Amino acid sequence: MEPTQQTAIIVGVQLQQDHNFAYSMEELRNLAAACNIEVIGELSQKTSRINPSHYLGTGKIEELKALMEAAGTELVIFNDELSPSQIRNLESTLDRQVIDRTILILNIFAERAKTKEAQLQVEVAQLQYMLPRLSGLRESLGRQGGGAGMKNKGTGETKLELDRRRIEERISALQTELTQQVSRRQIQRKQRHKNEVPVVCLVGYTNTGKSSLMNAMVETYHPGSNKQVFAKDMLFATLETSVRSIDLPDHKTFLLTDTVGFVSQLPHHLVKAFRSTLEEVTEADLLIHVVDIADSQHKQHMAVTEETLKALGADGIPVLYAYNKADLTDLSYPLVEGDNLYLSVKQNKGIPELTQLIRDHVFNDYMQCEILVPFDQGRLVSYFNENAHVQSVSYEENGTRMTLECKIADFEKYRNDFIEL
């Protein structure tokens, strides 16, 4: 028998000048759906400031009580991060389970995290979120007793201190483990830099098609390799940073990285926790900002992504804009306008154009040349065949004549071993 789906009421406060309120409530519904919670009602309040004790005004609290009673639901989800005292006050007034946008996102991340590092990061974020809110979660425990020393304290208070200490110790142990994971990845990154392979990073709002784009690139240049990443039409389908090597037909190679999608009001615990995952972004040679052009909120999503990149210190890296899902609009595609590309990953239209744009940006350390390699330097012919784009070869009496495009560094390194024509 399938477990019955949990139901909830969502609640938000619209402050003056907040033009994105309706959208953020819609996004809250999608976040709830990603947690397998069905939203069966909605309550909102327009006000100039959030009520510091109960988030909502007294009248709205009464309205919420009646709404939950009528709907027969035990759960209410708030559209902002609630303070510990707000959770405590709301739970005691409503006598219902209260959660906020932050814990919803943390739960999705906890459910989807696959790699060891992502799991550690999510647990740290959850514990950091819980720590100041323990008293709200422990309201039901007794607080009898008083005076000095442990033995006179109420059971609730003792339990609270034990829990707090346990959580602090756990956070500390997890952070030690995370540091080891991070340094391991930094070694891998240094290795890549040593190999001088350019890194191209896919960034963008959640559910714009980053993973699907990565799969299309892998399938185009490595058909049948089974190196696809998980892609699904849902918020935060991808939490891991996946890296795939893309080998182009002319012997040029770059690494393509798929990152976790961004979302507005991403809990600050998670921004900190995922900073090391997103460090890949700051090391990239080129960012591809994937945008769902069919989404009416795409401009807002782009702004959120750009803010997050700035917070990560990645705002100085060159960016290409890949406007995906153009097949759902009236725009013509595939179409390149400067650093902007309109494409449809679903219809597999625009991949060669994207590859050309990537080429133009990351392979600018190449040069075109014509050389004559003496026969006693045969190893150079094999080297250039493997590491350069050889356009023509002919054999002359003094050696092998080659027309090729190669790295400037390789040309300089071997220039004494061949004759430049």
Side-chain angles (χ1 to χ4, degrees), residues 290-309:
V290 184
V291 179
D292 176 355
I293 191 69
D295 191 316
S296 59
Q297 297 284 331
H298 70 270
K299 284 202 167 74
Q300 186 199 338
H301 293 173
M302 289 172 77
V304 168
T305 301
E306 278 154 16
E307 273 167 40
T308 314
L309 289 172

Side-chain angles (χ1 to χ4, degrees), residues 67-93:
L67 189 59
M68 294 189 81
E69 202 72 51
T73 181
E74 293 294 314
L75 176 65
V76 57
I77 306 171
F78 288 81
N79 194 28
D80 291 285
E81 184 168 313
L82 298 173
S83 70
S85 62
Q86 283 171 336
I87 291 182
R88 198 161 53 241
N89 296 339
L90 284 163
E91 288 205 329
S92 77
T93 308

Side-chain angles (χ1 to χ4, degrees), residues 39-262:
V39 174
I40 55 170
E42 184 175 319
L43 182 79
S44 59
Q45 178 175 24
K46 280 187 179 177
T47 179
S48 56
R49 59 189 275 277
I50 281 171
N51 182 313
S53 67
H54 283 76
Y55 183 74
L56 294 169
T58 325
K60 280 288 173 185
I61 293 277
E62 290 308 314
E63 208 179 310
L64 178 57
K65 258 185 175 173
L67 189 59
M68 294 189 81
E69 202 72 51
T73 181
E74 293 294 314
L75 176 65
V76 57
I77 306 171
F78 288 81
N79 194 28
D80 291 285
E81 184 168 313
L82 298 173
S83 70
S85 62
Q86 283 171 336
I87 291 182
R88 198 161 53 241
N89 296 339
L90 284 163
E91 288 205 329
S92 77
T93 308
L94 295 167
D95 197 23
R96 296 279 195 282
Q97 188 191 354
V98 169
I99 63 174
D100 60 16
R101 187 185 180 94
T102 299
I103 201 71
L104 209 52
I105 295 175
L106 288 172
N107 286 347
I108 296 170
F109 274 57
E111 213 174 286
R112 307 267 167 80
K114 296 283 185 298
T115 60
K116 179 73 174 156
E117 188 178 0
Q119 288 163 348
L120 293 173
Q121 285 169 329
V122 174
E123 194 181 339
V124 167
Q126 283 180 314
L127 293 173
Q128 285 173 335
Y129 172 85
M130 271 173 63
L131 200 53
R133 291 167 177 78
L134 275 179
S135 51
L137 309 169
R138 291 265 169 260
E139 195 56 34
S140 54
L141 289 166
R143 290 236 181 256
Q144 74 277 17
M150 275 293 264
K151 66 179 190 298
N152 291 333
K153 287 189 178 181
T155 52
E157 213 160 334
T158 312
K159 178 104 175 69
L160 202 59
E161 282 177 12
L162 284 172
D163 280 359
R164 192 164 279 140
R165 199 169 317 132
R166 234 178 252 130
I167 288 178
E168 281 167 351
E169 283 165 5
R170 179 77 182 139
I171 289 175
S172 171
L174 288 169
Q175 281 174 330
T176 306
E177 208 176 329
L178 263 175
T179 309
Q180 292 166 352
Q181 296 272 341
V182 171
S183 62
R184 198 171 302 140
R185 204 184 38 244
Q186 279 169 342
I187 291 166
Q188 289 172 344
R189 270 211 302 269
K190 276 200 187 97
Q191 194 57 47
R192 281 184 218 149
H193 276 293
K194 218 177 356 184
N195 298 342
E196 290 174 352
V197 181
V199 177
V200 178
C201 210
L202 298 170
V203 295
Y205 210 72
T206 181
N207 210 22
T208 54
K210 294 183 297 300
S211 302
S212 302
L213 177 53
M214 184 172 203
N215 288 341
M217 292 288 283
V218 169
E219 193 49 44
T220 302
Y221 296 103
H222 303 274
S225 65
N226 292 328
K227 287 193 173 173
Q228 269 75 359
V229 295
F230 179 68
K232 195 174 176 191
D233 181 12
M234 67 201 286
L235 296 183
F236 300 122
T238 307
L239 290 189
E240 327 303 342
T241 297
S242 311
V243 182
R244 297 288 183 272
S245 177
I246 304 291
D247 305 322
L248 301 175
D250 60 358
H251 297 292
K252 292 193 177 83
T253 297
F254 64 89
L255 293 174
L256 188 61
T257 305
D258 182 21
T259 59
V260 58
F262 304 147

